[in-house]
């Protein structure tokens, strides 16, 4: 069974891109290890196709190469935070309409392969200037939820982290508000595996 993880730096997690089998140091590695422990009888081929800095438009440019050509059984996609971030650091605005169009195209392209799809919300934690991201992240996540429409498995990571950080300092999960710590990666991996267990 082949599972492709597709996304930005949260998925990438410093993987060695020269090594197509490298899973990085983040939630993809943790999820892969957990799946293999849970299903020792299954043969998993786990592929990390995260690239730091990518937005939905970048994923569209490479979805054929990095997902369709892999002929996966399952795809786990986490994308969207850089569609917000570039507004603040580069003045590049992705409108809600553009985001919806890009995300819908990604979902359709992946589903047309026959692969099962799991979506993970992009998230931001209230750390420093990242608080300014929140209204845009929330708006994009509403769009993702509408696209999932109760039919595509969705891990509401943004909402879950918001709940967890009512009692625990947000820096424990993402020191900069975006890139998860070891603890943050464990949470994402556990929730991803919870959805994957329903379909592997």
């Amino acid at each position: 069974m082949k599972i492709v993880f597709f996304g930005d730096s949260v998925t990438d997690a410093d993987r060695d891109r020269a090594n197509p089998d490298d899973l990085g140091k983040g939630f993809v590695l943790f999820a892969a290890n957990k799946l293999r422990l849970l299903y020792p009888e299954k043969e998993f081929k786990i592929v990390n196709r995260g690239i730091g800095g990518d937005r939905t438009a970048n994923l569209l440019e490479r979805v054929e190469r990095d997902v369709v050509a892999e002929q996966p059984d399952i795809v786990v996609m986490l994308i969207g935070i850089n569609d917000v971030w570039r507004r603040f650091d580069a003045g590049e605005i992705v409108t809600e309409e553009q985001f919806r169009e890009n995300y819908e195209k990604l979902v359709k392209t992946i589903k047309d392969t026959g692969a099962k799809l799991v979506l993970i919300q992009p998230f931001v934690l209230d750390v420093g200037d990242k608080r300014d991201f929140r209204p845009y992240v929330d708006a994009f996540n509403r769009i993702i939820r509408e696209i999932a429409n109760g039919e595509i498995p969705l891990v509401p990571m943004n909402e879950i982290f918001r709940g967890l950080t009512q009692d625990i300092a947000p820096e424990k999960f993402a020191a900069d508000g975006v890139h998860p710590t070891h603890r943050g990666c464990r949470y994402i991996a556990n929730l991803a595996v919870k959805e994957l267990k329903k379909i592997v």
Side-chain angles (χ1 to χ4, degrees):
M1 173 172 288
K2 181 182 275 192
I3 305 175
V4 172
F5 287 80
F6 192 41
D8 52 33
S9 58
V10 178
T11 299
D12 185 336
D14 296 323
R15 69 184 173 93
D16 176 5
R17 293 184 205 158
N19 175 3
D21 296 322
D22 187 64
L23 296 181
K25 302 168 185 169
F27 86 93
V28 176
L29 178 64
F30 298 153
N33 290 341
K34 187 159 189 174
L35 284 170
R36 290 181 175 125
L37 280 172
L38 286 168
Y39 303 100
E41 75 286 358
K42 285 187 183 286
E43 190 171 325
F44 288 106
K45 171 69 175 174
I46 312 285
V47 180
N48 184 334
R49 292 295 177 262
I51 294 182
D54 269 11
R55 295 180 288 179
T56 50
N58 302 112
L59 262 60
L60 273 175
E61 290 168 2
R62 62 186 181 90
V63 66
E64 293 288 338
R65 179 186 77 237
D66 286 351
V67 179
V68 177
E70 291 284 351
Q71 298 182 300
D73 299 291
I74 301 172
V75 177
V76 180
M77 184 169 74
L78 194 176
I79 192 66
I81 192 62
N82 291 313
D83 292 67
V84 175
W85 204 332
R86 295 296 88 82
R87 171 187 290 266
F88 291 90
D89 68 1
E92 296 173 9
I93 294 171
V94 177
T95 66
E96 290 182 31
E97 292 74 20
Q98 288 170 323
F99 184 84
R100 182 185 296 275
E101 182 180 354
N102 290 348
Y103 206 97
E104 283 179 338
K105 283 180 181 174
L106 284 166
V107 167
K108 183 179 188 308
T109 301
I110 293 167
K111 289 190 78 175
D112 282 352
T113 68
K116 296 172 181 173
L117 177 61
V118 174
L119 302 174
I120 303 178
Q121 281 183 344
F123 54 85
V124 67
L125 283 72
D126 288 334
V127 177
D129 62 353
K130 301 306 187 301
R131 291 180 178 88
D132 297 337
F133 290 19
R134 173 136 332 265
Y136 303 100
V137 173
D138 287 350
F140 287 171
N141 276 322
R142 281 194 293 273
I143 291 167
I144 292 171
R145 190 172 284 281
E146 288 168 11
I147 292 169
N149 195 32
E151 296 168 6
I152 302 171
L154 174 65
V155 179
M157 211 59 244
N158 194 50
E159 296 159 24
I160 289 165
F161 274 143
R162 188 177 292 180
L164 287 168
T165 54
Q166 298 301 305
D167 303 308
I168 304 169
E171 292 85 356
K172 299 284 188 185
F173 300 103
D176 67 351
V178 171
H179 297 97
T181 59
H182 184 277
R183 187 175 185 177
C185 287
R186 291 270 178 209
Y187 262 98
I188 300 166
N190 288 342
L191 290 162
V193 169
K194 184 179 177 181
E195 293 301 324
L196 288 168
K197 282 167 66 177
K198 301 171 186 176
I199 55 178
V200 296

